[in-house]
Amino acid sequence: DGGLRRATVEGVQAALETMRVLADGQPVKDATVNTYVGAVKSFLGFAHRVGYTRFNAAPFIKLKKAPRQVAQRILSELETRKLIDAANAGRDRLMLEIAYYGGLRVSELVSLTWAQVIERDSGEAQLEIVGKGRKARQVLIPLPIATRLLASRGEAPAYAPVFESVRNPGHALTERAVNFIVKAAAKRAGVNPAASVHWLRHAHASHAIDNGAPITLVSATLGHADLKTTSVYAHARPGE
């Protein structure tokens, strides 16, 4: 009981090192180790937030580098804001905000209908997302963005797409069109022109965990079936 209160960063790191090797001496996969580390970080952060420990060791515990190709696809919070602000006002900017704050896949973004948007008593918007494997999950959109999202509906029926094509009214934007919008905004913002909606999803995961969100919650928000998937890229850093 008192052991957690007396735990030091060095002690936690030593304990994590033992998790890198199986009982038979074989090394544990990096993705699995990152899952363990993410869980420990979340637990230590929670213990500090509820006042059980006086010191929060979580920020000092580092994960292994994510694969380089993943780390290159992580935008910083400033770059993400610049990218969203560079999108055309109205539909395009709102769409990128929903993609980022909801951590949505491009397929989930273009298939979103008003029937999946639920206004909560708090004014926030709850999205019922149907992801891979037809698995449904609930995603919460913060109040300022939810207000603009709900106001954009007008008289659209429940079956109508949330993000409608201007050239083809009544039909959703294509995935290609959405990513073209992202790349055009990235070019104007001066960030990596290779950016796509999936980069915003990566950014959501990385920024959420950087700011203290439990990895289990981030994994559930993204619709991952396995924590290992979240661990691989959620902790990547742009400079690594």
Side-chain angles (χ1 to χ4, degrees):
D1 177 49
L4 179 59
R5 288 195 173 98
R6 295 191 300 271
T8 63
V9 175
E10 293 76 14
V12 174
Q13 291 283 22
L16 290 171
E17 284 301 317
T18 66
M19 298 179 184
R20 298 183 185 279
V21 182
L22 296 172
D24 60 4
Q26 294 297 312
V28 177
K29 292 181 179 179
D30 288 345
T32 301
V33 172
N34 275 354
T35 299
Y36 295 157
V37 176
V40 171
K41 283 170 65 72
S42 295
F43 176 66
L44 292 174
F46 174 76
H48 179 66
R49 286 196 299 274
V50 299
Y52 187 79
T53 58
R54 296 177 60 186
F55 174 69
N56 183 12
F60 299 94
I61 299 170
K62 305 301 181 185
L63 284 84
K64 293 180 71 66
K65 290 183 179 181
R68 182 172 173 79
Q69 65 271 24
V70 173
Q72 288 176 330
R73 295 196 296 268
I74 299 293
L75 298 168
S76 69
E77 291 188 62
L78 177 59
E79 288 174 323
T80 303
R81 188 69 261 171
K82 288 171 63 178
L83 171 62
I84 292 174
D85 288 346
N88 293 328
R91 181 203 63 183
D92 291 0
R93 190 173 301 169
L94 178 61
M95 181 171 62
L96 298 198
E97 287 181 314
I98 296 297
Y100 171 61
Y101 284 98
L104 304 187
R105 300 178 177 94
V106 65
S107 59
E108 296 166 347
L109 192 64
V110 299
S111 65
L112 189 66
T113 65
W114 287 111
Q116 296 170 263
V117 180
I118 304 165
E119 183 177 4
R120 295 171 57 136
D121 292 340
S122 62
E124 296 167 308
Q126 181 176 316
L127 308 183
E128 188 173 83
I129 303 299
V130 180
K132 289 184 177 181
R134 304 300 299 169
K135 292 182 178 180
R137 68 184 190 275
Q138 305 300 319
V139 176
L140 196 62
I141 300 299
L143 180 60
I145 299 168
T147 299
R148 286 187 283 110
L149 172 64
L150 295 166
S152 72
R153 179 174 181 174
E155 300 299 321
Y159 60 79
V162 173
F163 300 111
E164 187 179 75
S165 170
V166 174
R167 294 183 179 180
N168 196 6
H171 293 77
L173 284 164
T174 64
E175 293 183 16
R176 182 178 180 182
V178 172
N179 277 319
F180 178 82
I181 290 169
V182 176
K183 293 182 188 303
K187 185 176 180 180
R188 288 193 295 270
V191 302
N192 194 324
S196 67
V197 170
H198 213 71
W199 284 40
L200 292 174
R201 180 173 160 87
H202 283 311
H204 171 106
S206 181
H207 302 165
I209 290 185
D210 280 349
N211 285 286
I215 193 171
T216 49
L217 177 59
V218 176
S219 184
T221 299
L222 296 178
H224 286 162
D226 195 324
L227 276 177
K228 294 178 183 178
T229 307
T230 315
S231 300
V232 166
Y233 69 76
H235 298 272
R237 301 294 184 271
E240 293 184 346

